[in-house]
Amino acid sequence: TRLFAATLLVKALGLEADAKAKVNTQLSFKDADKIPAASVGYVAVALEKGLITGYNNNTFRPDQPVTRGELAALLDRTDEQLPDNDRHAITGKLKAAPANGSIVIVKPDNTEVAIPLDPGVFIFRHDVKSAPSAMAAGDEVLVRTYLNKAVFIEVTKTAVQPTVTTETGEYNSIALNDKGKINTLSITKNANNSTSAIVLNVSPDVVIVGNPALLKLGQSVELTLTNGLVTSIKVV
């Protein structure tokens, strides 16, 4: 909400003492009665510092949700007043989904940086506020940090989601590459009273599920393909 965002930014600037000193400020907004007494000082400081403003009809709308664009603008205004060593804006791609309360970003120069997530981090994906679990590896992000923790993350471009398909058939043969890993896999498929053989490219990280010793001519297999590459061979 606008009230929560204003309070958070005042705290980020280290102005809690100022906010407490202004707890008895008489705010002139028509809806001032909707602002809790304990939050009045924070709103007063946020207004004084130009972090946030009211609306043309003299309302503050404390409970109104903050949009992605509004929050980005609020952070821009706060940035101007934060010490340079306290704030950073980082862009890049997520190396993996968030784990253990942090994210790893691959920056444009291919260096990596791990960033802990602030408990109150704002995350926008598809222009809506999202949970950390909504982010995916490959998402392009803009991250704003405060005291070395991510406080705002905007997914500027979502990762292309992998296409996962399955194939079933009877095992024919495999071909290995020069490193001794499976390069291609041939299976025979029976469909519509006809038999056909197909050759599929195999991922270097392919996983064999079941007993590999059973992988012999004519053995039934179930294949999982990710973006056209076999990533799993299940011996059935």
Side-chain angles (χ1 to χ4, degrees), residues 12 82-88 145-149:
L82 283 172
D84 287 342
N85 62 335
D86 281 348
R87 59 178 171 86
H88 298 282
T145 66
Y146 175 67
L147 296 179
N148 299 316
K149 290 186 178 182

Side-chain angles (χ1 to χ4, degrees), residues 71-176:
L71 186 57
L74 292 176
L75 287 166
D76 280 340
R77 295 171 196 162
T78 308
D79 272 356
E80 296 171 0
Q81 301 182 51
L82 283 172
D84 287 342
N85 62 335
D86 281 348
R87 59 178 171 86
H88 298 282
I90 301 168
T91 59
K93 288 185 178 182
L94 285 184
K95 184 176 182 179
N100 301 318
S102 66
I103 56 174
V104 175
I105 295 178
V106 181
K107 298 195 290 185
D109 61 2
N110 287 322
T111 59
E112 297 182 5
V113 57
I115 307 172
L117 300 178
D118 186 89
V121 61
F122 287 88
I123 300 171
F124 285 91
R125 196 171 192 268
H126 297 302
D127 285 338
V128 296
K129 191 174 186 297
S130 306
S133 59
M135 295 190 293
D139 278 352
E140 294 184 19
V141 294
L142 164 65
V143 180
R144 293 177 182 270
T145 66
Y146 175 67
L147 296 179
N148 299 316
K149 290 186 178 182
V151 295
F152 176 85
I153 302 173
E154 179 183 358
V155 177
T156 55
K157 185 178 180 181
T158 54
V160 177
Q161 296 303 306
T163 301
V164 180
T165 58
T166 58
E167 289 278 5
T168 57
E170 295 179 354
Y171 172 79
N172 281 333
S173 63
I174 59 173
L176 305 179

Side-chain angles (χ1 to χ4, degrees), residues 23 54 56 77 80 93 102 123 172 181 190 206 225-226 235:
V23 69
N56 290 335
R77 295 171 196 162
E80 296 171 0
K93 288 185 178 182
S102 66
I123 300 171
N172 281 333
K181 291 191 174 183
N190 296 303
V206 65
L225 291 83
T226 303
V235 181

